[in-house]
Structure formats: structure tokens, C-alpha cells
Amino acid sequence: MEKRYILFDLDGTLTASYEGIINAVVYSLKQFGIEPKPERFSEVIGPPLRHTFMDMYGMSKDESEQAIRFFHEYYDEKGLFENRPYDGVEDMLHTLYAHGKKLMIATAKAQTIAERVADHFGLSQYLCFIAGTNADFVAEGDGIRATKEDVIKYILESNDIKDPEKAVMVGDRAYDITSAKKFGIQTMGVLYGYGTGEELISAGADYLAKDPKDVERYIIEG
């Protein structure tokens, strides 16, 4: 079946954002006098920030919320620009757009930040929808999106996508794959991001792509 709706993760899939995110996490941890764990930095890219601070650094819910505020002190002004699109990403988006594909971002990053990143790097011109989390800014129970699953559900509902078989989720971490599969969406794991082939295969990725050209080829040729 033709893939019409293409959901892209952002960090590690469209942009190489490692430096800015890690610098912001380190800045936040320093405010608490907590020593970073460099050996686990690769695990930071992908999951929501509160998971990082609570699960990896043992913070309480209140502490994690303060840590997120510290994170944004650095990231919103500097960190989001310590970043770049992967080689070949813009060409891929341009080609898919020209083929009439509906291109979207589905990220666990805060939506407001995802929009700024896409605008800054000129990617927004190819996108019809950008969705991210809003848990840092919306009261509980008020349409909160705190996880990748929440974000994907929001995309499907907002774009009236009734047949998930016409969609594919492209991402670099297991979190992208397992979240999309809960909605019956096919998945593609990219090998140039922050996850590993083993991680993506274990999560059940339907396809693996070694570079953006590979992503483009699969989506167009099936």
C-alpha cells in the first residue's frame, strides 16, 4: 500500500542535535550539584526529559520539573542551534514533498522547540504538520501530550488519518518504533542516528535505512 503520511522523529532522524541537548542537560544537572553520566548520554536523545531526570538521575517529579526549566534556560537560547540537519535530509524531504507525500514531525521534544528548529533550518517548507510534547506547558488533563504515543495519537486525530497502513514512522530509537506500532503504523529505523541496529530490530522495525537516500527510496518505491 502506498505510504502517504510520513512521520519523522526529529532528533537523530532529521537533525544531529546531540551537542545542544547534552550541553543543556549538563547545565541543568549542575544546578542540582549532580555529576553527569557521560557513558549514558546516548540514552538522553529521544525520551521525554522528565524520564531522563527521574529514571537516570533519581529525581522526584517536582525536581524533574525544575530540571526541565533549567534545561530550557540553556537550550532555548543556545542549545537548539548547536545542531544541524544530517547530510541528505533536505534533499530527501524535497523529493518526498515533490512526490506528494504528507510530511510531518512526531517528536518527544517540546512542540514549540521543534517548530523553532524546523524553521531555523528551513525544513518547515516541506512539512504539513509538526507535533511534539506539551507536558511542560499544559496543565494535567488539558489535552496533555507527554509521550511519543500521545504525539502520534494527536497527529492521527488532527489529520483525520483513518488508515494507519498509509503511514510510516521514521525514527532512530526503539521508542519511535514501539510507539508507532501501537497504532498499526509501519516503521523504519535509521542507522545514522543515535540508536543501534540491534535496538531497532529488537523493537520490531519493519525496515532499516542506512542514510536519508535509503529512506526516500523505500517510501517512493515501496
Side-chain angles (χ1 to χ4, degrees), residues 25-197:
V25 167
V26 170
Y27 171 85
S28 181
L29 293 173
K30 284 182 176 178
Q31 312 313 307
F32 289 87
I34 295 175
E35 190 68 27
K37 300 176 181 177
E39 71 278 6
R40 298 189 64 184
F41 278 170
S42 63
E43 299 174 41
V44 171
I45 313 296
L49 285 170
R50 60 176 30 87
H51 290 185
T52 294
F53 291 126
M54 293 176 71
D55 299 343
M56 194 179 300
Y57 290 98
M59 292 187 181
S60 67
K61 184 171 183 287
D62 288 345
E63 287 171 334
S64 73
E65 289 174 355
Q66 180 60 58
I68 289 170
R69 286 191 284 272
F70 286 135
F71 175 95
H72 285 295
E73 281 184 9
Y74 182 95
Y75 190 79
D76 294 9
E77 297 301 320
K78 186 176 181 180
L80 69 87
F81 302 119
E82 296 172 328
N83 190 5
R84 66 172 181 83
Y86 284 105
D87 293 342
V89 157
E90 185 167 1
D91 288 343
M92 171 193 68
L93 294 177
H94 180 273
T95 300
L96 294 176
Y97 179 83
H99 278 75
K101 304 302 181 182
K102 300 295 184 182
L103 309 181
M104 309 174 183
I105 283 178
T107 178
K109 183 187 289 297
Q111 178 159 331
T112 53
I113 299 299
E115 290 167 350
R116 289 180 65 192
V117 170
D119 287 345
H120 178 75
F121 291 113
L123 306 181
S124 296
Q125 61 184 310
Y126 308 111
L127 304 168
C128 67
F129 201 77
I130 298 176
T133 56
N134 64 357
D136 300 344
F137 312 102
V138 177
E140 267 188 53
D142 187 22
I144 194 168
R145 299 190 300 277
T147 68
K148 181 61 70 80
E149 286 181 41
D150 294 339
V151 169
I152 293 174
K153 183 173 184 286
Y154 172 65
I155 287 176
L156 296 177
E157 292 175 348
S158 298
N159 293 275
D160 198 30
I161 300 174
K162 305 288 189 186
D163 189 351
E165 290 186 0
K166 292 183 179 179
V168 59
M169 176 76 213
V170 184
D172 68 313
R173 301 303 305 266
Y175 197 60
D176 302 311
I177 307 304
T178 56
S179 297
K181 282 189 166 295
K182 291 187 176 180
F183 298 93
I185 296 173
Q186 281 200 332
T187 57
M188 183 186 300
V190 301
L191 299 175
Y192 56 83
Y194 300 119
T196 64

Side-chain angles (χ1 to χ4, degrees), residues 192-211:
Y192 56 83
Y194 300 119
T196 64
E198 181 180 0
E199 173 185 342
L200 294 165
I201 291 169
S202 296
D206 296 299
Y207 304 91
L208 295 179
K210 66 180 183 298
D211 55 34

